[in-house]
Amino acid sequence: MSKKLIAALALMGISSFSNAACSLSDITLTSVKTKFVSRCSAEDCIVLQGAAMIENKCSEAVGVQMQIIGLDQDGAAVTVDEFWPASIRNIPPGSYSFSLDQHLKYDPSIVKIELKVVNVEHWN
């Protein structure tokens, strides 16, 4: 095996190891504020407005995938959306705030909104 191939394999192993060091439990949701508002004066066009903050406790910047769920009075999911708040950018360690605007389609049966972290990825 060539020295370049060995070096490349070693770097891939180090990269995989550092990604494995960060998990869902390292990302905590610290704040969520949401409300549905009507944006139109002539017609009914209700949209979600809101903001959230997460804390990245990983030692490196990572991509975070969120899931937002609208629940009815029985706790059943009415509508669900998944999104990456920083798109394909990694979120550095520390606090990160982001918009929840229009991430959930309005349904009059929604009485509660839940937000949770569902995936952690390291973008190159």
Side-chain angles (χ1 to χ4, degrees):
M1 232 188 267
S2 75
K3 289 182 181 181
K4 287 183 182 179
L5 180 57
I6 293 170
L9 290 172
L11 285 174
M12 286 173 54
I14 291 170
S15 175
S16 296
F17 176 77
S18 65
N19 292 344
C22 188
S23 67
L24 292 178
S25 63
D26 294 314
I27 309 296
T28 55
L29 191 59
T30 57
S31 172
V32 179
K33 293 183 181 177
T34 61
K35 65 180 176 179
F36 284 107
V37 297
S38 181
R39 283 283 174 118
C40 304
S41 57
E43 62 183 77
D44 196 22
C45 58
I46 300 172
V47 296
L48 179 69
Q49 279 187 333
M53 183 176 290
I54 56 174
E55 181 79 20
N56 175 2
K57 297 177 185 172
C58 300
S59 61
E60 63 185 10
V62 293
V64 176
Q65 185 178 21
M66 305 297 297
Q67 183 180 68
I68 188 168
I69 308 162
L71 302 167
D72 67 13
Q73 66 183 10
D74 297 324
V78 175
T79 183
V80 177
D81 187 30
E82 291 184 354
F83 62 98
W84 299 83
S87 186
I88 57 169
R89 294 181 310 274
N90 292 315
I91 296 172
S95 294
Y96 180 80
S97 59
F98 56 95
S99 173
L100 296 173
D101 291 2
Q102 303 192 24
H103 277 292
L104 197 63
K105 186 176 178 180
Y106 174 72
D107 185 297
S109 64
I110 294 174
V111 298
K112 183 179 178 183
I113 295 174
E114 287 185 355
L115 185 66
K116 60 185 176 180
V117 179
V118 294
N119 192 15
V120 175
E121 183 75 39
H122 186 270
W123 303 111
N124 293 324

Tab-separated table of all heavy atoms in Angstrom, residues 11-68:
chain	number	residue	atom	x	y	z
A	11	LEU	N	-6.747	9.553	7.815
A	11	LEU	CA	-7.534	10.783	7.951
A	11	LEU	C	-9.029	10.494	7.941
A	11	LEU	O	-9.785	11.097	8.684
A	11	LEU	CB	-7.185	11.773	6.835
A	11	LEU	CG	-5.854	12.491	6.996
A	11	LEU	CD1	-5.554	13.336	5.769
A	11	LEU	CD2	-5.836	13.345	8.251
A	12	MET	N	-9.448	9.554	7.090
A	12	MET	CA	-10.868	9.185	7.056
A	12	MET	C	-11.286	8.588	8.398
A	12	MET	O	-12.367	8.881	8.901
A	12	MET	CB	-11.141	8.191	5.925
A	12	MET	CG	-11.111	8.835	4.552
A	12	MET	SD	-11.220	7.641	3.200
A	12	MET	CE	-12.666	6.735	3.596
A	13	GLY	N	-10.440	7.796	8.995
A	13	GLY	CA	-10.746	7.198	10.294
A	13	GLY	C	-10.848	8.241	11.383
A	13	GLY	O	-11.747	8.216	12.211
A	14	ILE	N	-9.948	9.224	11.359
A	14	ILE	CA	-9.990	10.305	12.347
A	14	ILE	C	-11.255	11.118	12.161
A	14	ILE	O	-11.942	11.459	13.114
A	14	ILE	CB	-8.737	11.196	12.227
A	14	ILE	CG1	-7.510	10.427	12.686
A	14	ILE	CG2	-8.909	12.478	13.026
A	14	ILE	CD1	-6.197	11.106	12.382
A	15	SER	N	-11.612	11.424	10.914
A	15	SER	CA	-12.819	12.200	10.629
A	15	SER	C	-14.059	11.463	11.110
A	15	SER	O	-14.934	12.056	11.724
A	15	SER	CB	-12.908	12.464	9.115
A	15	SER	OG	-14.109	13.110	8.818
A	16	SER	N	-14.160	10.177	10.847
A	16	SER	CA	-15.312	9.398	11.284
A	16	SER	C	-15.385	9.340	12.802
A	16	SER	O	-16.455	9.428	13.382
A	16	SER	CB	-15.234	7.972	10.733
A	16	SER	OG	-15.300	7.999	9.333
A	17	PHE	N	-14.232	9.229	13.449
A	17	PHE	CA	-14.206	9.176	14.900
A	17	PHE	C	-14.704	10.477	15.503
A	17	PHE	O	-15.495	10.484	16.430
A	17	PHE	CB	-12.779	8.873	15.389
A	17	PHE	CG	-12.663	8.901	16.878
A	17	PHE	CD1	-13.118	7.831	17.638
A	17	PHE	CD2	-12.129	9.993	17.523
A	17	PHE	CE1	-13.026	7.868	19.029
A	17	PHE	CE2	-12.036	10.032	18.901
A	17	PHE	CZ	-12.476	8.965	19.644
A	18	SER	N	-14.265	11.624	14.943
A	18	SER	CA	-14.678	12.903	15.524
A	18	SER	C	-16.166	13.130	15.312
A	18	SER	O	-16.830	13.708	16.160
A	18	SER	CB	-13.864	14.058	14.929
A	18	SER	OG	-14.142	14.203	13.554
A	19	ASN	N	-16.731	12.675	14.193
A	19	ASN	CA	-18.168	12.813	13.971
A	19	ASN	C	-18.954	11.958	14.950
A	19	ASN	O	-20.016	12.345	15.402
A	19	ASN	CB	-18.534	12.408	12.537
A	19	ASN	CG	-17.989	13.394	11.512
A	19	ASN	OD1	-17.612	14.499	11.852
A	19	ASN	ND2	-17.947	12.959	10.276
A	20	ALA	N	-18.430	10.794	15.277
A	20	ALA	CA	-19.125	9.896	16.195
A	20	ALA	C	-19.123	10.444	17.615
A	20	ALA	O	-19.928	10.049	18.433
A	20	ALA	CB	-18.467	8.514	16.159
A	21	ALA	N	-18.216	11.381	17.908
A	21	ALA	CA	-18.106	11.925	19.246
A	21	ALA	C	-19.281	12.846	19.594
A	21	ALA	O	-19.493	13.161	20.742
A	21	ALA	CB	-16.791	12.676	19.397
A	22	CYS	N	-20.024	13.280	18.604
A	22	CYS	CA	-21.156	14.171	18.841
A	22	CYS	C	-22.451	13.407	18.569
A	22	CYS	O	-22.579	12.728	17.559
A	22	CYS	CB	-21.054	15.387	17.923
A	22	CYS	SG	-22.265	16.638	18.310
A	23	SER	N	-23.413	13.533	19.493
A	23	SER	CA	-24.673	12.804	19.331
A	23	SER	C	-25.854	13.736	19.588
A	23	SER	O	-25.680	14.894	19.964
A	23	SER	CB	-24.716	11.614	20.285
A	23	SER	OG	-24.778	12.079	21.615
A	24	LEU	N	-27.057	13.209	19.414
A	24	LEU	CA	-28.271	13.992	19.641
A	24	LEU	C	-28.308	14.579	21.042
A	24	LEU	O	-28.782	15.705	21.240
A	24	LEU	CB	-29.514	13.128	19.420
A	24	LEU	CG	-29.794	12.667	17.999
A	24	LEU	CD1	-31.034	11.777	17.974
A	24	LEU	CD2	-29.965	13.835	17.061
A	25	SER	N	-27.809	13.853	22.022
A	25	SER	CA	-27.854	14.333	23.408
A	25	SER	C	-26.941	15.539	23.630
A	25	SER	O	-27.064	16.226	24.641
A	25	SER	CB	-27.502	13.204	24.374
A	25	SER	OG	-26.184	12.765	24.152
A	26	ASP	N	-26.029	15.820	22.694
A	26	ASP	CA	-25.144	16.984	22.802
A	26	ASP	C	-25.808	18.270	22.300
A	26	ASP	O	-25.249	19.351	22.451
A	26	ASP	CB	-23.852	16.750	22.012
A	26	ASP	CG	-23.022	15.637	22.608
A	26	ASP	OD1	-22.847	15.625	23.838
A	26	ASP	OD2	-22.551	14.771	21.847
A	27	ILE	N	-26.968	18.147	21.694
A	27	ILE	CA	-27.710	19.306	21.200
A	27	ILE	C	-28.971	19.437	22.043
A	27	ILE	O	-29.802	18.528	22.070
A	27	ILE	CB	-28.100	19.144	19.713
A	27	ILE	CG1	-26.895	18.753	18.851
A	27	ILE	CG2	-28.779	20.404	19.201
A	27	ILE	CD1	-25.788	19.779	18.788
A	28	THR	N	-29.107	20.542	22.747
A	28	THR	CA	-30.284	20.725	23.594
A	28	THR	C	-31.091	21.929	23.125
A	28	THR	O	-30.533	22.950	22.715
A	28	THR	CB	-29.901	20.910	25.077
A	28	THR	OG1	-28.979	21.994	25.194
A	28	THR	CG2	-29.296	19.660	25.638
A	29	LEU	N	-32.377	21.776	23.198
A	29	LEU	CA	-33.310	22.838	22.862
A	29	LEU	C	-33.472	23.706	24.107
A	29	LEU	O	-33.867	23.206	25.162
A	29	LEU	CB	-34.635	22.204	22.451
A	29	LEU	CG	-35.684	23.067	21.827
A	29	LEU	CD1	-35.179	23.735	20.561
A	29	LEU	CD2	-36.910	22.235	21.524
A	30	THR	N	-33.134	24.995	24.008
A	30	THR	CA	-33.177	25.852	25.195
A	30	THR	C	-34.346	26.834	25.184
A	30	THR	O	-34.711	27.348	26.242
A	30	THR	CB	-31.856	26.632	25.351
A	30	THR	OG1	-31.611	27.404	24.178
A	30	THR	CG2	-30.696	25.676	25.588
A	31	SER	N	-34.929	27.090	23.997
A	31	SER	CA	-36.033	28.041	23.936
A	31	SER	C	-36.849	27.804	22.668
A	31	SER	O	-36.292	27.550	21.605
A	31	SER	CB	-35.472	29.467	23.915
A	31	SER	OG	-36.476	30.409	23.674
A	32	VAL	N	-38.184	27.885	22.814
A	32	VAL	CA	-39.094	27.781	21.662
A	32	VAL	C	-40.256	28.736	21.895
A	32	VAL	O	-40.891	28.693	22.950
A	32	VAL	CB	-39.657	26.347	21.494
A	32	VAL	CG1	-40.614	26.302	20.307
A	32	VAL	CG2	-38.566	25.332	21.335
A	33	LYS	N	-40.516	29.591	20.917
A	33	LYS	CA	-41.676	30.484	20.964
A	33	LYS	C	-42.344	30.438	19.597
A	33	LYS	O	-41.700	30.686	18.583
A	33	LYS	CB	-41.255	31.907	21.302
A	33	LYS	CG	-40.711	32.038	22.703
A	33	LYS	CD	-40.372	33.449	23.051
A	33	LYS	CE	-39.813	33.457	24.467
A	33	LYS	NZ	-39.376	34.766	24.882
A	34	THR	N	-43.634	30.102	19.592
A	34	THR	CA	-44.377	30.005	18.333
A	34	THR	C	-45.777	30.568	18.486
A	34	THR	O	-46.333	30.595	19.590
A	34	THR	CB	-44.506	28.551	17.857
A	34	THR	OG1	-45.227	27.807	18.844
A	34	THR	CG2	-43.163	27.904	17.600
A	35	LYS	N	-46.324	31.001	17.355
A	35	LYS	CA	-47.733	31.394	17.299
A	35	LYS	C	-48.150	31.428	15.834
A	35	LYS	O	-47.343	31.656	14.937
A	35	LYS	CB	-47.983	32.745	17.963
A	35	LYS	CG	-47.306	33.913	17.271
A	35	LYS	CD	-47.609	35.207	17.994
A	35	LYS	CE	-46.837	36.352	17.340
A	35	LYS	NZ	-47.102	37.632	17.989
A	36	PHE	N	-49.423	31.167	15.609
A	36	PHE	CA	-49.988	31.309	14.273
A	36	PHE	C	-50.566	32.711	14.160
A	36	PHE	O	-51.257	33.181	15.067
A	36	PHE	CB	-51.084	30.267	14.026
A	36	PHE	CG	-50.542	28.891	13.764
A	36	PHE	CD1	-50.641	27.893	14.718
A	36	PHE	CD2	-49.931	28.586	12.552
A	36	PHE	CE1	-50.148	26.617	14.470
A	36	PHE	CE2	-49.429	27.317	12.298
A	36	PHE	CZ	-49.535	26.331	13.259
A	37	VAL	N	-50.264	33.391	13.048
A	37	VAL	CA	-50.762	34.751	12.825
A	37	VAL	C	-51.336	34.852	11.417
A	37	VAL	O	-50.910	34.150	10.500
A	37	VAL	CB	-49.661	35.811	13.007
A	37	VAL	CG1	-49.146	35.824	14.428
A	37	VAL	CG2	-48.523	35.600	12.038
A	38	SER	N	-52.310	35.747	11.252
A	38	SER	CA	-52.869	36.014	9.928
A	38	SER	C	-52.035	37.103	9.279
A	38	SER	O	-51.839	38.179	9.847
A	38	SER	CB	-54.327	36.449	10.037
A	38	SER	OG	-54.828	36.679	8.737
A	39	ARG	N	-51.528	36.844	8.094
A	39	ARG	CA	-50.663	37.770	7.380
A	39	ARG	C	-51.407	38.621	6.353
A	39	ARG	O	-50.838	39.499	5.757
A	39	ARG	CB	-49.560	36.994	6.660
A	39	ARG	CG	-48.464	36.539	7.570
A	39	ARG	CD	-47.635	37.753	7.830
A	39	ARG	NE	-46.611	37.576	8.790
A	39	ARG	CZ	-45.325	37.710	8.521
A	39	ARG	NH1	-44.915	37.920	7.302
A	39	ARG	NH2	-44.449	37.633	9.485
A	40	CYS	N	-52.661	38.334	6.119
A	40	CYS	CA	-53.403	39.030	5.066
A	40	CYS	C	-54.578	39.789	5.668
A	40	CYS	O	-55.181	39.339	6.643
A	40	CYS	CB	-53.932	38.034	4.040
A	40	CYS	SG	-52.635	37.014	3.313
A	41	SER	N	-54.928	40.899	5.056
A	41	SER	CA	-56.076	41.651	5.550
A	41	SER	C	-57.349	41.295	4.788
A	41	SER	O	-58.435	41.343	5.343
A	41	SER	CB	-55.800	43.153	5.438
A	41	SER	OG	-55.491	43.495	4.105
A	42	ALA	N	-57.227	40.921	3.523
A	42	ALA	CA	-58.409	40.643	2.706
A	42	ALA	C	-58.842	39.178	2.748
A	42	ALA	O	-59.987	38.873	2.473
A	42	ALA	CB	-58.149	41.057	1.263
A	43	GLU	N	-57.935	38.275	3.057
A	43	GLU	CA	-58.269	36.850	3.089
A	43	GLU	C	-57.598	36.190	4.282
A	43	GLU	O	-56.714	36.770	4.896
A	43	GLU	CB	-57.838	36.171	1.782
A	43	GLU	CG	-56.339	36.233	1.549
A	43	GLU	CD	-55.911	35.637	0.234
A	43	GLU	OE1	-56.083	36.287	-0.794
A	43	GLU	OE2	-55.410	34.507	0.269
A	44	ASP	N	-58.022	35.004	4.589
A	44	ASP	CA	-57.466	34.281	5.717
A	44	ASP	C	-56.215	33.528	5.268
A	44	ASP	O	-56.317	32.563	4.497
A	44	ASP	CB	-58.523	33.315	6.271
A	44	ASP	CG	-58.175	32.823	7.654
A	44	ASP	OD1	-57.396	33.515	8.338
A	44	ASP	OD2	-58.676	31.764	8.047
A	45	CYS	N	-55.079	33.987	5.683
A	45	CYS	CA	-53.823	33.280	5.356
A	45	CYS	C	-52.981	33.206	6.626
A	45	CYS	O	-52.146	34.055	6.899
A	45	CYS	CB	-53.090	33.950	4.207
A	45	CYS	SG	-52.678	35.662	4.483
A	46	ILE	N	-53.209	32.181	7.384
A	46	ILE	CA	-52.563	32.014	8.684
A	46	ILE	C	-51.258	31.253	8.499
A	46	ILE	O	-51.215	30.214	7.845
A	46	ILE	CB	-53.505	31.284	9.660
A	46	ILE	CG1	-54.774	32.119	9.831
A	46	ILE	CG2	-52.819	31.042	10.990
A	46	ILE	CD1	-55.864	31.436	10.618
A	47	VAL	N	-50.188	31.798	9.098
A	47	VAL	CA	-48.856	31.188	8.994
A	47	VAL	C	-48.232	31.104	10.381
A	47	VAL	O	-48.607	31.832	11.299
A	47	VAL	CB	-47.921	31.988	8.050
A	47	VAL	CG1	-48.445	31.977	6.623
A	47	VAL	CG2	-47.725	33.406	8.543
A	48	LEU	N	-47.266	30.233	10.500
A	48	LEU	CA	-46.532	30.083	11.748
A	48	LEU	C	-45.429	31.139	11.826
A	48	LEU	O	-44.704	31.354	10.853
A	48	LEU	CB	-45.906	28.693	11.838
A	48	LEU	CG	-45.085	28.421	13.101
A	48	LEU	CD1	-45.988	28.335	14.319
A	48	LEU	CD2	-44.276	27.152	12.952
A	49	GLN	N	-45.321	31.780	12.974
A	49	GLN	CA	-44.197	32.650	13.279
A	49	GLN	C	-43.567	32.137	14.554
A	49	GLN	O	-44.281	31.714	15.475
A	49	GLN	CB	-44.641	34.094	13.517
A	49	GLN	CG	-44.860	34.886	12.276
A	49	GLN	CD	-45.126	36.347	12.619
A	49	GLN	OE1	-45.620	36.681	13.687
A	49	GLN	NE2	-44.799	37.215	11.697
A	50	GLY	N	-42.249	32.173	14.609
A	50	GLY	CA	-41.610	31.727	15.831
A	50	GLY	C	-40.102	31.724	15.742
A	50	GLY	O	-39.518	31.985	14.693
A	51	ALA	N	-39.502	31.427	16.874
A	51	ALA	CA	-38.048	31.349	16.964
A	51	ALA	C	-37.689	30.289	17.997
A	51	ALA	O	-38.470	29.994	18.905
A	51	ALA	CB	-37.469	32.691	17.366
A	52	ALA	N	-36.513	29.728	17.837
A	52	ALA	CA	-36.021	28.727	18.783
A	52	ALA	C	-34.526	28.923	18.974
A	52	ALA	O	-33.860	29.575	18.156
A	52	ALA	CB	-36.307	27.320	18.272
A	53	MET	N	-34.022	28.351	20.052
A	53	MET	CA	-32.590	28.394	20.320
A	53	MET	C	-32.148	27.008	20.758
A	53	MET	O	-32.838	26.342	21.532
A	53	MET	CB	-32.256	29.407	21.405
A	53	MET	CG	-30.760	29.539	21.653
A	53	MET	SD	-30.348	30.824	22.852
A	53	MET	CE	-30.741	32.276	21.897
A	54	ILE	N	-31.017	26.582	20.218
A	54	ILE	CA	-30.406	25.324	20.633
A	54	ILE	C	-29.024	25.614	21.199
A	54	ILE	O	-28.433	26.666	20.922
A	54	ILE	CB	-30.305	24.296	19.479
A	54	ILE	CG1	-29.540	24.873	18.283
A	54	ILE	CG2	-31.659	23.788	19.077
A	54	ILE	CD1	-29.276	23.882	17.172
A	55	GLU	N	-28.537	24.675	21.967
A	55	GLU	CA	-27.181	24.749	22.508
A	55	GLU	C	-26.401	23.562	21.967
A	55	GLU	O	-26.785	22.407	22.177
A	55	GLU	CB	-27.224	24.694	24.041
A	55	GLU	CG	-25.881	24.787	24.714
A	55	GLU	CD	-25.348	26.211	24.786
A	55	GLU	OE1	-26.143	27.164	24.665
A	55	GLU	OE2	-24.128	26.364	24.950
A	56	ASN	N	-25.332	23.854	21.220
A	56	ASN	CA	-24.455	22.815	20.695
A	56	ASN	C	-23.350	22.584	21.723
A	56	ASN	O	-22.483	23.426	21.909
A	56	ASN	CB	-23.863	23.242	19.343
A	56	ASN	CG	-22.856	22.244	18.811
A	56	ASN	OD1	-22.611	21.209	19.409
A	56	ASN	ND2	-22.253	22.557	17.676
A	57	LYS	N	-23.388	21.433	22.390
A	57	LYS	CA	-22.393	21.096	23.405
A	57	LYS	C	-21.291	20.202	22.843
A	57	LYS	O	-20.474	19.678	23.601
A	57	LYS	CB	-23.069	20.431	24.598
A	57	LYS	CG	-24.050	21.358	25.304
A	57	LYS	CD	-24.755	20.648	26.432
A	57	LYS	CE	-25.817	21.540	27.034
A	57	LYS	NZ	-26.649	20.831	28.001
A	58	CYS	N	-21.286	20.031	21.524
A	58	CYS	CA	-20.230	19.240	20.880
A	58	CYS	C	-18.930	20.043	20.887
A	58	CYS	O	-18.945	21.266	21.002
A	58	CYS	CB	-20.603	18.923	19.436
A	58	CYS	SG	-22.128	17.976	19.272
A	59	SER	N	-17.828	19.367	20.711
A	59	SER	CA	-16.530	20.050	20.678
A	59	SER	C	-16.251	20.662	19.310
A	59	SER	O	-15.266	21.375	19.148
A	59	SER	CB	-15.418	19.080	21.060
A	59	SER	OG	-15.380	18.005	20.138
A	60	GLU	N	-17.119	20.378	18.342
A	60	GLU	CA	-16.939	20.910	16.991
A	60	GLU	C	-18.279	21.356	16.417
A	60	GLU	O	-19.337	21.033	16.958
A	60	GLU	CB	-16.325	19.846	16.080
A	60	GLU	CG	-17.211	18.630	15.896
A	60	GLU	CD	-16.556	17.526	15.081
A	60	GLU	OE1	-15.355	17.598	14.806
A	60	GLU	OE2	-17.259	16.585	14.721
A	61	ALA	N	-18.201	22.107	15.333
A	61	ALA	CA	-19.410	22.549	14.652
A	61	ALA	C	-20.064	21.362	13.945
A	61	ALA	O	-19.372	20.509	13.375
A	61	ALA	CB	-19.060	23.642	13.640
A	62	VAL	N	-21.401	21.291	14.003
A	62	VAL	CA	-22.146	20.198	13.374
A	62	VAL	C	-23.432	20.725	12.757
A	62	VAL	O	-23.951	21.761	13.156
A	62	VAL	CB	-22.507	19.078	14.392
A	62	VAL	CG1	-21.264	18.353	14.879
A	62	VAL	CG2	-23.319	19.613	15.542
A	63	GLY	N	-23.953	19.972	11.789
A	63	GLY	CA	-25.270	20.255	11.231
A	63	GLY	C	-26.326	19.608	12.113
A	63	GLY	O	-26.123	18.522	12.646
A	64	VAL	N	-27.448	20.303	12.277
A	64	VAL	CA	-28.507	19.820	13.153
A	64	VAL	C	-29.818	19.779	12.381
A	64	VAL	O	-30.186	20.762	11.727
A	64	VAL	CB	-28.650	20.731	14.394
A	64	VAL	CG1	-29.809	20.294	15.257
A	64	VAL	CG2	-27.353	20.767	15.193
A	65	GLN	N	-30.506	18.660	12.440
A	65	GLN	CA	-31.816	18.519	11.810
A	65	GLN	C	-32.890	18.551	12.896
A	65	GLN	O	-32.770	17.878	13.922
A	65	GLN	CB	-31.914	17.213	11.021
A	65	GLN	CG	-33.204	17.075	10.251
A	65	GLN	CD	-33.263	15.792	9.437
A	65	GLN	OE1	-32.553	14.827	9.716
A	65	GLN	NE2	-34.106	15.780	8.432
A	66	MET	N	-33.917	19.355	12.651
A	66	MET	CA	-35.008	19.514	13.602
A	66	MET	C	-36.294	18.935	13.015
A	66	MET	O	-36.451	18.855	11.800
A	66	MET	CB	-35.245	21.002	13.907
A	66	MET	CG	-34.032	21.770	14.389
A	66	MET	SD	-33.362	21.205	15.958
A	66	MET	CE	-34.718	21.514	17.066
A	67	GLN	N	-37.203	18.571	13.912
A	67	GLN	CA	-38.548	18.151	13.523
A	67	GLN	C	-39.537	19.006	14.309
A	67	GLN	O	-39.414	19.140	15.528
A	67	GLN	CB	-38.769	16.673	13.830
A	67	GLN	CG	-40.134	16.167	13.383
A	67	GLN	CD	-40.310	14.699	13.716
A	67	GLN	OE1	-40.394	14.332	14.876
A	67	GLN	NE2	-40.343	13.870	12.687
A	68	ILE	N	-40.507	19.583	13.600
A	68	ILE	CA	-41.553	20.368	14.236
A	68	ILE	C	-42.874	19.649	14.003
A	68	ILE	O	-43.147	19.183	12.889
A	68	ILE	CB	-41.563	21.824	13.720
A	68	ILE	CG1	-42.535	22.681	14.529
A	68	ILE	CG2	-41.801	21.901	12.226
A	68	ILE	CD1	-42.383	24.180	14.283
